[in-house]
Amino acid sequence: MWFVSYLLMVKSIKTTKRNLERLVEKGYVRYNAKTKYYILNSFDKIRDKEDWENRLAIPLNFSGILNIKAVAGAVIYGYLHKDFWRKVKSKKSVQIKGSTYHFPTPKFNYKDKLAPVSVLGVSAIFNFSPATASRLKNSALKAGLLQVQKNYSKLKVNKNAMVLYCKYREERQNIVFKDGNHYLQLIDTICPLFYFTKRKSLKT
């Protein structure tokens, strides 16, 4: 246990033990009481257990394991980026808060195109707080796994009127002041700086 803690730079052995117990409970890891060794279940066994059909994966090295929050953020936002353009392709265009996204030709390469992915949307889909969703995105950004672009719309009405408008529509009142003007902060657009691959079943 201490070696795993040392290897993963976890300060407390209790933390390592607690997380291993969670993995055992989920069936991702097995514990052999006789040998006192933990045995990792294969990806395919875990996929079958969780009934996962998607085989998308990203390459992960040891430095990625040590920065797992950044990797998790990159995977979550990167997958939703891919899912957004998949839906745009099926509908040919999607309009979000005044911005229209087109999928013009069959040769259109969405992989390098920004897509709107809301922190609140991530929070609702994965059932964790908006603060956690924001931290995961920022961790992926700092690790160089995501490109994030802030978007603003200059207010054409009085700030107080916009606050009342947002309150009436039950929308977040993200109004910022910059360059002498008030702007409504829109959904960030993101683009993953990595490519998903399809993990193949390992042959014996």
Side-chain angles (χ1 to χ4, degrees):
M1 195 73 67
W2 67 267
F3 182 71
V4 174
S5 299
Y6 170 77
L7 198 64
L8 298 179
M9 299 182 184
V10 179
K11 294 180 180 179
S12 172
I13 293 178
K14 289 182 179 180
T15 299
T16 303
K17 185 178 180 181
R18 184 168 63 250
N19 286 326
L20 274 172
E21 288 172 351
R22 289 176 181 172
L23 292 174
V24 171
E25 288 175 6
K26 289 188 69 66
Y28 294 178
V29 174
R30 289 172 289 138
Y31 179 66
N32 189 316
K34 287 186 177 180
T35 62
K36 296 184 178 180
Y37 279 103
Y38 287 92
I39 303 167
L40 300 177
N41 282 329
S42 68
F43 284 123
D44 288 325
K45 282 187 177 180
I46 294 173
R47 287 184 70 254
D48 289 339
K49 178 182 181 299
E50 298 290 350
D51 198 25
W52 292 335
E53 295 183 2
N54 202 314
R55 303 192 71 88
L56 288 182
I58 65 169
L60 186 64
N61 54 27
F62 188 69
S63 62
I65 295 173
L66 295 179
N67 198 5
I68 197 66
K69 287 184 180 180
V71 173
V75 170
I76 288 171
Y77 283 87
Y79 180 80
L80 292 178
H81 168 276
K82 181 181 180 71
D83 187 60
F84 172 84
W85 283 116
R86 180 183 62 80
K87 290 176 180 176
V88 172
K89 182 179 181 181
S90 67
K91 296 180 180 179
K92 302 303 181 184
S93 68
V94 170
Q95 187 173 23
I96 298 178
K97 289 193 174 182
S99 298
T100 303
Y101 299 85
H102 296 285
F103 205 103
T105 68
K107 295 182 179 180
F108 178 74
N109 184 9
Y110 71 89
K111 293 181 180 179
D112 299 322
K113 296 287 289 184
L114 293 163
V117 181
S118 167
V119 166
L120 294 179
V122 171
S123 172
I125 292 170
F126 294 97
N127 196 28
F128 46 62
S129 70
T132 297
S134 181
R135 283 195 293 269
L136 289 174
K137 180 174 68 175
N138 290 332
S139 295
L141 173 64
K142 290 177 182 177
L145 295 171
L146 282 184
Q147 175 190 352
V148 179
Q149 178 178 294
K150 298 289 184 182
N151 300 297
Y152 304 92
S153 175
K154 187 177 179 180
L155 294 185
K156 297 180 181 180
V157 297
N158 181 274
K159 175 189 173 184
N160 293 331
M162 180 56 72
V163 169
L164 289 174
Y165 172 78
C166 291
K167 186 175 182 180
Y168 174 76
R169 290 174 57 91
E170 296 183 352
E171 295 180 354
R172 296 184 70 187
Q173 301 172 20
N174 289 342
I175 298 175
V176 299
F177 184 78
K178 54 182 291 187
D179 303 325
N181 294 290
H182 284 97
Y183 293 83
L184 182 65
Q185 186 171 349
L186 306 177
I187 297 172
D188 289 352
T189 44
I190 64 100
C191 183
L193 299 178
F194 63 92
Y195 292 123
F196 285 104
T197 60
K198 282 195 174 182
R199 199 187 70 81
K200 297 179 180 180
S201 296
L202 298 177
K203 302 297 182 181
T204 304

